Amino acid sequence: MKKLLNTLYVTSTDRYLALDGENVVVYEKQEEIGRVPLHNLEAIATFGYTGASPALMAACAKHDIGLTFLSGSGRFLARVSGEVRGNVTLRKEQYRVSTVNDESIGIARNCILGKAYNAKWILERACRDYPLRLDVEKIKRKSGFPSESLKK
């Protein structure tokens, strides 16, 4: 068992996961070997033969915590997930826009402008924060093109 960021990995076989209050409890041979609060988790990944109580599965679904069961070698077996949310109207509009060239090109242009703007901003910040490590004059010359040329 290992907690990495907000994911709990159960890598040993013959473990059982259960719910105790608002905690995930890991058992081995009916002996508690670990406990992690639910509110600290975004996902639980289990490898090998690992069981989970129905109460834990329900709590994971309710709190939108992904519970994934994998074979010992890492092959996907099953997943418990909560209610699927989404905006059907938004998806339909996105699909519609994807079929109209003028609108798609406009969106693509804005994405590219954003990438170029952010890259220039990162270079300017690097020059400000690390002037002794960088050739500041060269970077300023190369990134000094007018932003108006991007709008054409």
Side-chain angles (χ1 to χ4, degrees):
M1 178 180 98
K2 184 174 185 175
K3 184 174 178 283
L4 185 61
L5 298 176
N6 292 349
T7 301
L8 174 65
Y9 293 92
V10 181
T11 55
S12 300
T13 58
D14 298 327
R15 301 288 167 93
Y16 185 75
L17 305 175
L19 183 68
D20 181 21
E22 289 291 312
N23 296 298
V24 177
V25 182
V26 181
Y27 292 99
E28 181 178 31
K29 297 180 182 170
Q30 299 175 342
E31 183 179 321
E32 181 180 323
I33 61 167
R35 176 181 290 261
V36 179
L38 270 178
H39 69 272
N40 288 344
L41 295 175
E42 290 179 7
I44 301 171
T46 67
F47 295 83
Y49 176 74
T50 306
S53 71
L56 176 63
M57 289 187 220
C60 286
K62 178 182 175 188
H63 295 288
D64 202 25
I65 298 170
L67 176 56
T68 306
F69 297 94
L70 305 160
S71 71
S73 62
R75 189 175 61 82
F76 177 80
L77 298 173
R79 177 174 166 81
V80 175
S81 60
E83 179 183 341
V84 177
R85 296 182 195 99
N87 185 334
V88 174
T89 309
L90 175 63
R91 282 310 153 259
K92 286 173 72 174
E93 181 63 14
Q94 288 172 335
Y95 288 130
R96 185 196 65 73
V97 166
S98 72
T99 63
V100 179
N101 280 344
D102 289 340
E103 292 184 45
S104 296
I105 290 170
I107 291 171
R109 181 178 292 122
N110 285 337
C111 290
I112 293 168
L113 283 171
K115 292 287 258 180
Y117 175 82
N118 287 335
K120 183 177 178 184
W121 187 77
I122 287 170
L123 288 173
E124 289 172 358
R125 183 172 41 156
C127 287
R128 182 191 70 219
D129 293 346
Y130 306 104
L132 299 177
R133 296 184 192 172
L134 303 171
D135 186 351
V136 174
E137 290 306 315
K138 185 175 182 180
I139 292 173
K140 284 185 178 182
R141 270 194 322 273
K142 296 292 183 180
S143 70
F145 61 89
S147 55
E148 289 300 315
S149 64
L150 289 175
K151 294 181 181 177
K152 292 180 182 175

